[in-house]
Amino acid sequence: VMTNPLLISRLSDGIILYVNQRLYDALKLRNTDLVGKPAPDFYAHPEQRKKLKHALQKQGHVYNWELELVRPNGEHFWVMFSASTINYDGEVALIASYVDITELNIAQAQLLQSAKMAALGEMSAGVAHEINTPLATILLSSHNIRQAWKTKNYAELKKNLDLIDEEVNRTSTIIRQMLNFSRNAELDKWVLIDVRKTMEQIILMLKRQFESEGIEIILKLGRQPLYVNGNSTQLQQVFYNLASNAKDAVRDSSKKEIQFRIKRRKAEAIFEIEDSGEGIAPKDLHNIFAPFFTTKPLGKGTGLGLSVSNNIIKKHNGSLECINKGSGNSTLFRASLP
């Protein structure tokens, strides 16, 4: 007995040829015949159907694709979807089944948001220092302005006013980055994003933490903007997760160094984070992107960072890979985005 929703649709145009009762239940439909209707109507994002069709034409099957679907009543839900091509009544068709993962996605999003807020708590001491420094400069400049006003030294007056402007802008930037980072990523629209600037924003927030732990940061971000289409808050989350993991990896190393690199390769934007830590044990390597898998001590991680990062990069039509140079050597994470 098939317990999951099942659908057969024509590969060329998506017209439904067969469904089981489980699919009617999942779509909350009564007294409606789905046969003959277009399956693409149930995709929240039409381009997902095009990608699915292309993958099936190329390799004949897909396994565990995460898709966002929409019911006729307007409700959105998320599924883990698998499909294969078949011959059905003489036509090339796809047969597909899925598992509803909506509740899991909601739980993961809530846990991720909690982890984000905890990360902000960790950053707060360093950020407080970053804000305290310009405040001290502003206080000193205001004292200098009073003196310059008395002596009518207008050049000194302008110099100190310009300095106050700079420090206010610097403080405003830091606060804005923290507010952006704390946002719920699902609220953001996709726009053109400069990955170089996005990585710089995360480094700005983490810089003080790195310095306090004696970690050297090496930046090779290039001089030119490098644009991708995507969700800025989600990509910030990926950069933060990878940078935070690298920070943990070098904590007990004799050499504490993290390199951040960005480069263009043909039609791809590549960003890399490499640490000088002890590497990942070979037995753990195939599990690192699995949800809730972690090698950190109890209470030191959710095990969702790399899993979520991998899913975000996939949603951006990119790939995330771990290049492990063996136990006792550095680890490199490389994300490629179109």
Side-chain angles (χ1 to χ4, degrees), residues 55-117:
L56 286 170
Q57 287 172 330
K58 186 177 179 181
Q59 60 200 37
H61 57 80
V62 298
Y63 298 121
N64 296 333
W65 274 33
E66 189 175 322
L67 296 177
E68 183 181 351
L69 303 180
V70 59
R71 296 186 175 96
N73 66 5
E75 290 178 355
H76 286 236
F77 63 110
W78 285 260
V79 301
M80 193 65 79
F81 183 96
S82 296
S84 301
T85 53
I86 60 168
N87 189 301
Y88 188 82
D89 287 344
E91 296 189 273
V92 179
L94 69 85
I95 180 168
S97 180
Y98 70 75
V99 176
D100 192 312
I101 58 168
T102 304
E103 290 188 7
L104 177 62
N105 269 11
I106 292 170
Q108 284 194 2
Q110 290 172 341
L111 190 55
L112 190 62
Q113 191 65 16
S114 297
K116 241 192 203 184
M117 302 315 290

Side-chain angles (χ1 to χ4, degrees), residues 46-279:
E47 68 276 6
Q48 288 185 331
R49 205 316 170 141
K50 293 176 185 175
K51 289 178 194 170
L52 174 66
K53 179 181 173 183
H54 177 74
L56 286 170
Q57 287 172 330
K58 186 177 179 181
Q59 60 200 37
H61 57 80
V62 298
Y63 298 121
N64 296 333
W65 274 33
E66 189 175 322
L67 296 177
E68 183 181 351
L69 303 180
V70 59
R71 296 186 175 96
N73 66 5
E75 290 178 355
H76 286 236
F77 63 110
W78 285 260
V79 301
M80 193 65 79
F81 183 96
S82 296
S84 301
T85 53
I86 60 168
N87 189 301
Y88 188 82
D89 287 344
E91 296 189 273
V92 179
L94 69 85
I95 180 168
S97 180
Y98 70 75
V99 176
D100 192 312
I101 58 168
T102 304
E103 290 188 7
L104 177 62
N105 269 11
I106 292 170
Q108 284 194 2
Q110 290 172 341
L111 190 55
L112 190 62
Q113 191 65 16
S114 297
K116 241 192 203 184
M117 302 315 290
L120 282 170
E122 284 183 24
M123 289 185 218
S124 60
V127 171
H129 184 89
E130 289 291 332
I131 292 173
N132 199 42
T133 302
L135 285 176
T137 303
I138 290 169
L139 185 63
L140 179 62
S141 294
S142 67
H143 174 77
N144 292 341
I145 286 169
R146 288 192 186 93
Q147 298 303 314
W149 181 259
K150 287 177 185 177
T151 60
K152 295 191 169 36
N153 186 343
Y154 297 118
E156 185 69 14
L157 193 66
K158 183 181 183 306
K159 184 177 112 179
N160 281 276
L161 286 171
D162 289 344
L163 186 57
I164 287 174
D165 279 349
E166 286 176 19
E167 296 302 318
V168 167
N169 287 334
R170 178 180 160 195
T171 306
S172 176
T173 298
I174 295 168
I175 293 170
R176 187 167 60 251
Q177 296 318 325
M178 291 203 69
L179 289 174
N180 286 342
F181 181 75
S182 67
R183 281 174 60 86
N184 186 333
E186 302 304 319
L187 302 176
D188 282 359
K189 295 179 180 178
W190 281 42
V191 294
L192 274 181
I193 301 159
D194 179 3
V195 288
R196 181 175 179 270
K197 187 174 182 181
T198 305
M199 186 176 273
E200 284 175 339
Q201 290 165 352
I202 290 299
I203 293 166
L204 176 68
M205 289 192 292
L206 285 172
K207 185 176 70 171
R208 189 62 60 178
Q209 261 186 286
F210 284 13
E211 288 175 355
S212 68
E213 295 187 29
I215 299 170
E216 182 183 0
I217 303 172
I218 298 173
L219 302 180
K220 297 180 180 179
L221 306 184
R223 296 179 180 275
Q224 300 298 322
L226 192 52
Y227 291 101
V228 300
N229 189 41
N231 181 311
S232 179
T233 309
Q234 287 184 349
L235 289 181
Q236 271 198 357
Q237 182 70 50
V238 173
F239 293 151
Y240 172 79
N241 289 344
L242 297 180
S244 182
N245 281 354
K247 177 172 69 71
D248 290 342
V250 301
R251 179 168 285 139
D252 298 322
S253 298
S254 54
K255 181 184 179 183
K256 298 184 179 184
E257 180 183 288
I258 301 174
Q259 289 195 32
F260 296 84
R261 299 188 287 265
I262 291 178
K263 52 194 172 185
R264 185 193 303 271
R265 186 175 65 194
K266 295 182 180 178
E268 288 185 315
I270 311 293
F271 67 86
E272 299 176 339
I273 297 180
E274 182 173 2
D275 65 68
S276 61
E278 293 299 307

